Structure formats: C-alpha cells, structure tokens
Amino acid sequence: MTGVFSLLPDGRHGLLGPPFDGGADLSRHLAAGGYAPLPAPGRLLDRIAAVGLRGRGGAGFPAAVKLRTVRDAAGPPVVVANGEEGEPGSVKDRWLLRHRPHLVLDGLRLAAALTGAARGHVYLSDAPAEQAVRQALAERPLDLPVDVVRAEHTYVAGEETAVVRRIDGGPALPTAKPPRPYESGVGGAPTLVANVETLARIAALHARPDDADLVAGAHLVTLSGAGGAAALVEVTAGTHLTVLADLAGHGRAGAVLLGGLFGGLHGAGWRDLPLDHDGLSAAGGALGCGALYFLRPEDCPVAVAAEATAYLAAQSARQCGVCVSGTGALATTLGAVARGEASDGTAETLRRWSRQLPGRGACGLLDAAAHLAATLLTHFPDRVDAHRGSACPACADPAPCDGRRFTVPVP
Ligand code: SF4
C-alpha cells in the first residue's frame, strides 16, 4: 500500500495534499496565489537566497546561486523543468507532475523571469505526467514557449548533461563536464536544469512569502522497504529517520539505504540521523533525491548491496570505460561475496576500488556503486566477514539486476 502524508508542523501545508484532476489543480493553484505577477525578480531571488533553498534533484546545490549564474552567463538562457527521476525508489517528481502540474509550471515561468530566459522545456519520461503537463499548458499557457520533451526512462536519463543532450535531439546519456549546462546547454545556450520539486518550491515561495522558511526547509521523501508500506511524505529538515521508519511501518528496520541508491547503506545509529543534506553527509551518507529504503533485521545488507550494484551495472550507459569495468567489477565481486565465494583479500580489493573509482565517470552512477561497497564495508564488516565461505539464507538466490526490489509505484 502506498500513501501520501504531510508531517509539517501545526497543520500547515507544503506541496502535498489530495490529488486533483488538471482543472481542479488550476483553480486550487490560482486560489492559493499561483501565477501571481512578478513585479521585481530581484526580490524573489533575494528571498530564495535568504531562506537557503537548495536544489532537490540530488546534489543540494543552492538554488539562488544556480539561478544567478545562469542569469549572468553570456547569451539568452534556457530553462528546463527536469522531472526525470532515475532512482527507482523515488516517486516525488512524477507525483508532482501528475498532481501539481501548475505548481511546477508556475515555478518554470518564475525561473525564466529570474534568469531572463525566453524558452522553456519540461523533460520527463512518465506518460501520465506528460499528459498532466500538456493538459495544464493547454488550460493556461505560459507567457513563454514551452516544449515537453520525453525520454526513455533509465537511471542516468535525468542527469543534467543527459537532459541537454536529449533535448538537443540526441540520446539521453551524460556527457563529460565541463562544459556544464549553465555554461553551454540546450542549443549551446546557458541553461538552467532545475528539478521539478525545486521549481514547485520556488512557486510556493512566491505565492506564500509568509511560509518561506517552511517551504524552503521541507523535503519530499519517498519511503519504502520490505515488510512495510511505501509512502511519499513531506517533512521538515532535521526530522530523525526513526520517525520516518515508524510512519511507514518500518519500525523494526535494522538498517537503511539512503538517497535512493546513492547515499549508501547505514546500520547502527541510523535512527538518530537527521534528514538533511549536512547531517547525512556528516555521517558519510547523502540525502540525494530523498528516497529511503529500510531493511528488516532479517534482510542481509550484503544481498542488498549486491542487488543494487548489479542494477547499477546493468544501467551503466557503457560509454565511460572506467564505469563499464569499475561498476561491473564491483557488482561481480559483491555478487561473489553474497554467494559465499569471496576470498581473504576480497574485502580489501573492494575497499581499494571504493576509494579509487569515485569521480572518474561522466555521471554519478559509478560513484553510487563505489559508495555502496564502501558503506557496506564500513558499517557491516561482520556481515561481510560472515559470508566468507558460505552464503547466508538471504543471499541464497542470485541477485536480480532489474531494480525491482527498490522500485516504488507512484501513489
Ligand atoms: S559513468 Fe557510467 S553511466 Fe555515467 S556516463 Fe559514464 S558510462 Fe554512462
């Protein structure tokens, strides 16, 4: 069962609420102050900076810095609403596009006004989301031309250089950086590639300035795991992970996989971790797109790491040699550990690779695989050691590489 919940204080509302059809979404959005004129772009940009809004695509980069950089770049800019969420355990972006298309489009037109862009794109792979966005644009066209661009869903299709490449008519595959899109993006123009939750929060900041701190500090989080419910939840930054585990019926969880597949596996002490970029980074994790996968005490972290790296290896775009060999080797070796076929030196080999490989691919896929191995060795050394010579019951079946274990249906 999948649910949608708000845990914001005092009954205040953020981006969530009951689903609406397109027409109702427009009336609700207008009633909440949406599509209000923007008399002074600088004032909204200052507000975004003052409340410290950070991007919600995964990296958590300050939104105001990104907007100003694109605004100040040479040439007329382009803005892109990026709704392609590659992490199988995240549903927030597709939910927003399906149920709050006007909030996202309002954020896109504000981003265009703040950067001086005269063209916009909505980039996605989800068919119901595309239908909702097209219907919203037909109901209330924006005052700039907007193209809706569809990509095939893959783990890397939402990476910002893959977004630019696909909009320009190529495959949705990352390219080497530099240049980054803010320097040379769609058609060579400076391009703001903004996650749709980031844009929705910009629209909410404009419509409800009195709620600015609440809007900027809240996160949409997808919770899942075996033995409990999946849920899309809006929470304030700093909420302890134990609260989220309890909410979705994962109170027995013994470990958590953070950030989709990007933030690594965490064991002892994970319940007291605060849900925010800085707190999770300080603990050696990452918030990423805000997806949390809880492991039951009977789930084996070795099996989860093997399955996740096998999925990442299968999702490699196979265009960087170091990713093809590195992600493949990590998946093969973690699979061998899971099957009880590791040798005495296997853990040290994995540790060395997890130090050497990050940062060497064109996108973060290789980093995610290396971080999974590193956190498995750091937080579960005894479980890795226990697999020397024999697999545990949870690892008895070979790990599939289709990501099914981590996939959450959109509520
Ligand atoms: S790191 Fe891997 S997934 Fe990313 S672009 Fe290179 S080959 Fe593709």
Side-chain angles (χ1 to χ4, degrees):
M1 191 179 77
T2 303
V4 180
F5 305 95
S6 172
L7 288 187
L8 299 184
D10 307 325
R12 293 154 84 196
H13 70 278
L15 306 185
L16 297 182
F20 291 87
D21 62 31
D25 182 52
L26 177 58
S27 29
R28 172 191 150 106
H29 186 60
L30 291 171
Y35 292 127
L38 186 64
R43 204 179 312 160
L44 177 58
L45 202 40
D46 289 345
R47 188 182 306 151
I48 294 168
V51 295
L53 179 68
R54 294 170 75 161
R56 296 303 204 269
F61 196 73
V65 173
K66 202 165 168 179
L67 286 160
R68 286 190 177 120
T69 304
V70 173
R71 179 196 65 186
D72 297 340
V78 173
V79 287
V80 179
N82 183 8
E84 171 51 13
E85 49 191 355
E87 289 286 356
S90 179
V91 298
K92 69 184 181 72
D93 297 334
R94 282 168 292 162
W95 192 94
L96 281 173
L97 288 169
R98 289 185 189 189
H99 300 297
R100 298 285 180 272
H102 285 291
L103 192 61
V104 175
L105 291 171
D106 196 357
L108 184 67
R109 68 116 196 167
L110 291 168
L114 296 178
T115 57
R119 272 193 305 147
H121 300 269
V122 179
Y123 177 82
L124 41 71
S125 69
D126 182 55
E130 179 182 6
Q131 192 181 358
V133 169
R134 288 193 185 281
Q135 183 182 338
L137 284 168
E139 283 169 346
R140 194 189 186 288
L142 300 190
D143 49 10
L144 75 161
V146 175
D147 290 328
V148 180
V149 178
R150 183 106 174 252
E152 286 300 309
H153 172 74
T154 66
Y155 190 82
V156 300
E159 197 274 343
E160 61 177 4
T161 59
V163 173
V164 168
R165 200 169 172 189
R166 177 72 192 93
I167 292 173
D168 276 342
L173 298 175
T175 55
K177 300 176 274 286
R180 290 191 172 270
Y182 68 81
E183 300 165 306
S184 177
V186 175
T191 300
L192 177 85
V193 180
N195 170 264
V196 295
E197 184 190 345
T198 313
L199 293 173
R201 293 200 180 278
I202 289 173
L205 279 172
H206 179 51
R208 295 155 43 202
D210 292 347
D211 276 342
D213 287 330
L214 177 90
V215 168
H219 289 270
L220 291 179
V221 179
T222 312
L223 311 175
S224 66
L232 174 63
V233 187
E234 187 163 19
V235 294
T236 48
T239 302
H240 286 158
L241 300 194
T242 191
V243 174
L244 301 175
D246 287 345
L247 175 81
H250 296 283
R252 289 176 58 240
V256 65
L257 176 56
L258 294 175
L261 304 182
F262 197 78
L265 281 156
H266 297 262
W270 68 269
R271 288 180 175 277
D272 296 326
L273 293 177
L275 184 115
D276 60 50
H277 283 287
D278 297 337
L280 295 182
S281 296
L287 177 58
C289 62
L292 307 182
Y293 176 88
F294 298 104
L295 282 68
R296 299 168 300 183
E298 61 267 36
D299 292 331
C300 178
V302 175
V304 171
E307 194 168 329
T309 48
Y311 170 72
L312 290 169
Q315 286 290 309
S316 167
R318 308 189 73 76
Q319 57 179 8
C320 312
V322 68
C323 177
V324 175
S325 58
T327 312
L330 285 162
T332 302
T333 306
L334 283 167
V337 174
R339 291 190 301 275
E341 297 167 2
S343 65
D344 287 351
T346 301
E348 188 48 43
T349 301
L350 284 169
R351 196 170 282 113
R352 190 175 69 250
W353 287 344
S354 67
R355 282 194 300 263
Q356 293 172 342
L357 292 173
R360 296 181 59 194
C363 76
L365 183 142
L366 175 59
D367 301 10
H371 195 50
L372 274 162
T375 51
L376 177 71
L377 293 165
T378 299
H379 298 294
F380 304 95
D382 51 334
R383 302 296 293 268
V384 174
D385 205 42
H387 282 71
R388 274 198 296 168
S390 65
C392 72
C395 291
D397 294 326
C401 59
D402 57 9
R404 222 177 318 157
R405 178 201 286 261
F406 308 108
T407 301
V408 177
V410 182

